[in-house]
């Protein structure tokens, strides 16, 4: 039975209430679905996750489904703001709230944590321990195989360690929490629960790739890392507010993808490389899952001699089919890249320009430099 005109009009009126114009779970605009059991408006992607927890959430289309009078009344009485006050009453400040741009795993665990497990209805339900100790599948640096490794996160030491064997006395690596980033990379890693951890090692960025069979477990690791990072920053920058510090926790890469680049003499052939733009670092790899970048480019502010433009200098030797050029100028040298498609070129140009135009908004320049380069 389809939606009748009266119900459609009622739903449109309810959706005009502030908060109901976006998805209750990821913030996507103009949600087209609703949970008639929870009384919230949700987007198409999040509705698919709600369908996987039918004991908690019953999903209906705002435009195509038949709505009973009592369901319409529930939507009117509850709504997104009411649900937020109930199900998000005690979300820890460091807990990552996913948006519509984030991977499905983060959104699914956020939805299950809220409605199924009710982790945020009071302050006692989600509280990470000072130490998290467990096994994660880690990709080998040289052989590319994922093997079980023990990881230990310590708030007291401010470190994440991993061991090649559970009972090993010495860790294989000690990662300082203040110089570490973690971001979900399911497509690149080839696992829906794939997490990439990056940190500085000998002045180069080191990447390790891990996953866990349990989506909840890997997301709990992720948020525990954020919790420990925040506590470190609160001590390191006592004058800063949590609002200023939260953007300095784990961050998604601004952009990733393939480009071609030439060498510093600009007479070598262009070679295809995988590029990752992380804050002000542009890193390039031979393979997306390499442990170390082949090189890094620091992108400073345009007022300090950094610029980006479309095209390549006249006379540049080209040997590939990719013709959409990009030139980055730094105080030290020029970097030349080519993209396969004009749309890729324009997207990279926008990201580079945004980074070079950005300033140190949240902290002082000295604090920002300390956070970027390490104490």
């Amino acid at each position: 039975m389809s939606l009748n005109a009266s119900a459609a009009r009622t739903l449109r009126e309810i959706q005009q209430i502030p908060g109901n114009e976006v998805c209750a779970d990821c913030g996507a605009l103009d949600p087209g679905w609703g949970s008639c059991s929870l009384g919230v408006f949700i987007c198409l992607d999040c509705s698919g996750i709600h369908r996987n927890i039918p004991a908690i959430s019953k999903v209906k289309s705002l435009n195509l489904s038949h709505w009973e009078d009592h369901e319409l009344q529930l939507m009117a009485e509850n709504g997104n703001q009411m649900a937020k006050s109930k199900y998000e009453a005690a979300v820890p400040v460091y807990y990552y709230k996913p948006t519509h741009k984030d991977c499905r795993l983060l959104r699914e665990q956020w939805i299950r944590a809220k409605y199924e497990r009710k982790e945020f209805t009071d302050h006692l339900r989600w509280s990470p321990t000072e130490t998290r100790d467990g096994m994660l599948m880690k990709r080998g640096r040289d052989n590319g195989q994922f093997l079980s490794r023990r990881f230990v996160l310590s708030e007291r030491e401010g470190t994440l360690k991993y061991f090649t064997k559970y009972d090993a006395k010495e860790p294989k690596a000690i990662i300082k929490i203040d110089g570490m980033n973690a971001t979900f990379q399911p497509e690149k890693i080839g696992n829906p629960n794939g997490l990439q951890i990056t940190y500085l090692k000998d002045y180069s960025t080191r990447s390790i790739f891990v996953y866990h069979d349990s989506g909840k477990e890997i997301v709990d690791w992720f948020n525990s890392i954020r919790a420990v990072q925040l506590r470190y920053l609160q001590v390191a920058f006592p004058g800063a507010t949590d609002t200023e510090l939260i953007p300095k926790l784990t961050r998604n890469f601004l952009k990733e993808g393939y480009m071609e680049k030439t060498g510093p003499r600009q007479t070598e052939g262009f070679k295809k490389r995988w590029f990752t733009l992380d804050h002000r670092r542009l890193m390039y790899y031979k393979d997306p899952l390499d442990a170390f970048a082949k090189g890094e480019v620091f992108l400073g502010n345009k007022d300090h001699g950094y610029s980006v433009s479309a095209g390549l200098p006249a006379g540049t030797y080209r040997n590939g089919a990719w013709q959409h050029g990009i030139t980055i100028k730094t105080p030290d040298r020029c970097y030349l890249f080519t993209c396969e498609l004009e749309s890729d070129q324009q997207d990279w140009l926008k990201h580079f320009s945004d980074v070079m135009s950005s300033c140190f908004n949240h902290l002082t320049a000295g604090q920002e430099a300390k956070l970027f380069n390490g104490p």
Side-chain angles (χ1 to χ4, degrees):
M1 188 181 299
S2 61
L3 180 68
N4 61 49
S6 175
R9 184 168 58 253
T10 299
L11 284 170
R12 285 196 297 269
E13 291 173 354
I14 298 172
Q15 204 166 11
Q16 298 305 310
I17 299 174
N20 292 343
E21 76 283 1
V22 299
C23 176
D25 299 320
C26 74
L29 294 173
D30 196 23
W33 297 77
S35 171
C36 60
S37 53
L38 294 171
V40 295
F41 292 86
I42 53 179
C43 70
L44 175 62
D45 287 343
C46 288
S47 73
I49 298 172
H50 278 252
R51 284 194 189 93
N52 290 332
I53 46 175
I56 305 296
S57 185
K58 182 180 178 182
V59 176
K60 288 190 174 184
S61 167
L62 302 182
N63 301 313
L64 301 175
S65 301
H66 174 74
W67 288 72
E68 302 290 347
D69 289 343
H70 72 275
E71 294 171 339
L72 295 173
Q73 183 177 356
L74 181 68
M75 297 296 289
E77 292 176 349
N78 288 358
N80 291 0
Q81 294 285 42
M82 182 70 73
K84 183 181 180 71
S85 66
K86 176 181 178 180
Y87 294 105
E88 300 181 29
V91 180
V93 65
Y94 53 79
Y95 196 98
Y96 186 80
K97 296 182 180 181
T99 71
H100 63 283
K101 297 180 180 179
D102 284 300
C103 66
R104 181 181 175 88
L105 171 70
L106 278 169
R107 288 184 286 115
E108 178 179 5
Q109 289 304 314
W110 168 239
I111 289 169
R112 288 185 178 275
K114 284 202 299 181
Y115 307 120
E116 186 178 45
R117 300 192 294 268
K118 295 183 174 62
E119 291 182 2
F120 312 122
T121 55
D122 65 62
H123 290 278
L124 299 178
R125 287 184 178 270
W126 210 98
S127 180
T129 58
E130 293 183 355
T131 298
R132 179 173 284 273
D133 188 334
M135 305 299 289
L136 298 174
M137 298 298 292
K138 177 190 171 294
R139 186 179 190 270
R141 172 183 167 181
D142 300 318
N143 59 23
Q145 292 181 323
F146 280 90
L147 299 172
S148 183
R149 296 289 184 257
R150 180 188 179 195
F151 283 76
V152 178
L153 175 68
S154 172
E155 179 190 347
R156 182 178 60 83
E157 297 179 5
T159 61
L160 175 68
K161 302 176 183 178
Y162 80 84
F163 302 78
T164 55
K165 295 182 179 180
Y166 186 83
D167 57 354
K169 295 182 179 179
E170 296 297 327
K172 179 69 173 179
I174 301 176
I175 306 168
K176 293 183 178 180
I177 203 73
D178 58 297
M180 188 184 80
N181 185 36
T183 181
F184 280 94
Q185 296 279 11
E187 292 185 13
K188 184 163 66 173
I189 295 175
N191 186 286
N193 304 339
L195 184 68
Q196 180 175 353
I197 295 172
T198 56
Y199 61 100
L200 286 179
K201 181 179 181 181
D202 300 329
Y203 305 101
S204 296
T205 300
R206 166 80 157 99
S207 293
I208 60 176
F209 304 93
V210 300
Y211 72 85
H212 195 283
D213 289 336
S214 165
K216 179 184 183 302
E217 183 71 14
I218 197 69
V219 172
D220 284 353
W221 270 99
F222 176 67
N223 281 297
S224 291
I225 288 170
R226 290 174 59 86
V228 175
Q229 284 181 328
L230 179 60
R231 286 164 189 166
Y232 167 84
L233 291 176
Q234 288 169 336
V235 173
F237 305 101
T241 65
D242 286 348
T243 302
E244 292 172 323
L245 295 177
I246 291 300
K248 306 304 174 186
L249 305 185
T250 59
R251 60 195 178 274
N252 293 328
F253 298 140
L254 297 178
K255 182 173 174 61
E256 286 194 292
Y258 283 108
M259 289 192 290
E260 292 183 335
K261 74 174 293 294
T262 187
R265 294 191 298 273
Q266 300 175 4
T267 56
E268 305 91 336
F270 280 80
K271 296 180 179 180
K272 186 178 179 181
R273 295 288 182 256
W274 177 265
F275 285 82
T276 297
L277 180 59
D278 181 17
H279 192 45
R280 293 186 179 273
R281 279 194 178 94
L282 176 65
M283 298 167 283
Y284 52 95
Y285 304 80
K286 187 174 181 180
D287 183 273
L289 296 180
D290 283 347
F292 288 96
K294 293 184 69 66
E296 300 185 12
V297 182
F298 176 79
L299 304 181
N301 189 274
K302 61 182 181 180
D303 294 334
H304 299 148
Y306 294 83
S307 66
V308 61
S309 59
L312 302 175
T316 301
Y317 169 71
R318 301 192 191 198
N319 64 309
W322 293 9
Q323 300 298 311
H324 304 283
I326 296 175
T327 299
I328 290 180
K329 291 184 179 180
T330 75
D332 300 321
R333 58 168 282 197
C334 286
Y335 295 87
L336 308 183
F337 312 99
T338 57
C339 300
E340 182 179 17
L341 303 174
E342 184 179 3
S343 58
D344 292 337
Q345 176 205 46
Q346 294 302 312
D347 197 34
W348 278 110
L349 284 169
K350 181 183 185 305
H351 280 87
F352 292 147
S353 180
D354 288 347
V355 169
M356 293 177 186
S357 299
S358 65
C359 56
F360 306 125
N361 293 323
H362 300 286
L363 302 173
T364 67
Q367 288 176 325
E368 179 81 17
K370 182 179 178 182
L371 281 173
F372 185 79
N373 297 308

